[in-house]
Amino acid sequence: MERYKKILVAVDGSESSKNALRQAIRLAQTGVCDKECSITAVAVVPPYEGDLDLLGISDTIRKMREEPCRKALSDATEIAKREGIGIKTVCTEGVVHERIVDLAESQNCDLIVIGRRGLARIERALMGSVTARVIGYTRGGVLVVPRAAKVGCKNILIATDGSRYSDAAASEAINIAKICEGNLIALSVAKKDENFPVAEESVDKVRRDAEREGIKVEGLTRKGTPYEVIIKTAEQKNADLIVVGSHGRTGIERLLMGSVTERVIGHAECAVLVVKV
């Protein structure tokens, strides 16, 4: 069973990012993470578009621009200290989502943990644009944590539609459930009656794979608007984690992220793990 060994948490001083760090630490303290699991908190200074040389006060301007970064990392260090764990910190400059993704890849991180929205408050279906772009461009998994959510693995909901994206998500959900001895809820949503056979087949596949691993699994096939049914079911079943693929059966490769996944992330009350292919 694969366990997370390196986690990267994006922080910007917002309450959402602070909770993301707390939940990353909580995750690291469970069996889902390797005993030697390390956490790195990264804060990014957006690029400056002015001309520092002409200003003649480049050092002063640079320090002013870096102050929020240093403050966010200082807060992160204090949070980790209170949780009894040490973390690494990185302050870097550039396009925010690009620097997060680049750092995750350069450090071979297994998982990026990020708040649903940051300080910028630029919303895209209730999800910050940085979060959306990180999910879209990274090659690894991304755990998106709402401001008040607590990450757990007692009840894991896996949304499946039989696509290769949801197959990858199901494999990860089964892996987590096995490590945590959690329960799995396999859900497939049919938009129309004629979609039920595919939905039922998708759920059956997850059920068979999970049962082979000795995992307790409940299979559900429901009709409706996919993201609405996924969110409602997660609430009804007290799911503490939703696992989804980055795209669905109709996923277009050129799109950064499927619309169902984006809406689930934007509206869910619990944490959402997006698994990439």
Side-chain angles (χ1 to χ4, degrees):
M1 294 179 288
E2 293 293 327
R3 301 172 190 262
Y4 298 125
K5 297 179 180 178
K6 292 185 178 181
I7 298 175
L8 181 69
V9 186
V11 298
D12 64 1
S14 66
E15 289 305 314
S16 181
S17 74
K18 290 178 181 178
N19 187 48
L21 176 61
R22 293 188 190 97
Q23 301 315 311
I25 293 171
R26 182 177 180 181
L27 193 64
Q29 294 171 335
T30 71
V32 175
C33 292
D34 188 86
K35 291 182 179 180
E36 302 300 322
C37 179
S38 65
I39 296 177
T40 298
V42 58
V44 183
V45 180
Y48 182 69
E49 297 180 354
D51 192 331
L52 292 176
D53 291 334
L54 291 178
L55 289 173
I57 50 173
S58 59
D59 288 342
T60 301
I61 295 296
R62 185 172 289 106
K63 289 178 180 179
M64 289 175 60
R65 294 181 60 249
E66 291 177 353
E67 180 56 31
C69 180
R70 288 194 292 268
K71 178 65 167 60
L73 294 177
S74 175
D75 290 345
T77 300
E78 285 300 314
I79 290 172
K81 185 177 180 180
R82 288 196 294 270
E83 296 293 334
I85 190 172
I87 62 171
K88 302 174 184 177
T89 60
V90 175
C91 179
T92 185
E93 181 176 350
V95 178
V96 181
H97 74 275
E98 291 180 355
R99 297 303 302 131
I100 294 170
V101 171
D102 289 346
L103 186 62
E105 292 185 356
S106 67
Q107 294 195 357
N108 296 315
C109 293
D110 306 293
L111 182 70
I112 296 175
V113 181
I114 191 167
R116 185 158 65 188
R117 288 188 295 169
L119 287 174
R121 300 295 184 189
I122 301 174
E123 298 181 10
R124 182 181 172 201
L126 298 181
M127 177 170 52
S129 60
V130 169
T131 299
R133 290 189 175 99
V134 167
I135 295 169
Y137 286 102
T138 188
R139 298 176 183 176
V142 181
L143 180 66
V144 184
V145 185
R147 180 173 175 174
K150 291 186 178 180
V151 175
C153 51
K154 180 179 179 181
N155 293 310
I156 303 169
L157 188 150
I158 168 65
T160 178
D161 63 4
S163 67
R164 66 190 183 97
Y165 303 99
S166 64
D167 284 349
S171 178
E172 185 70 2
I174 290 170
N175 184 52
I176 294 172
K178 185 171 184 178
I179 292 172
C180 293
E181 298 183 349
N183 301 318
L184 201 62
I185 304 133
L187 170 67
S188 190
V189 184
K191 291 183 180 180
K192 303 176 182 178
D193 289 340
E194 54 263 37
N195 300 138
F196 268 100
V198 172
E200 290 171 348
E201 182 181 345
S202 301
V203 169
D204 285 343
K205 183 179 185 303
V206 175
R207 182 191 289 112
R208 291 194 300 270
D209 292 345
E211 288 177 345
R212 276 198 295 268
E213 298 295 333
I215 297 168
K216 182 180 178 181
V217 56
E218 177 182 7
L220 300 172
T221 305
R222 293 179 173 172
K223 181 181 177 181
T225 302
Y227 86 90
E228 292 178 347
V229 176
I230 291 170
I231 292 167
K232 184 176 181 180
T233 303
E235 293 173 351
Q236 291 173 339
K237 297 296 181 178
N238 296 315
D240 40 28
L241 179 65
I242 297 174
V243 184
V244 295
S246 56
H247 296 77
R249 290 181 67 89
T250 57
I252 302 173
E253 295 291 347
R254 63 182 175 82
L255 296 179
L256 294 181
M257 178 168 42
S259 61
V260 172
T261 295
E262 185 171 345
R263 290 188 175 97
V264 168
I265 294 169
H267 294 84
E269 294 184 3
C270 64
V272 179
L273 174 61
V274 182
V275 179
K276 305 295 286 288
V277 173

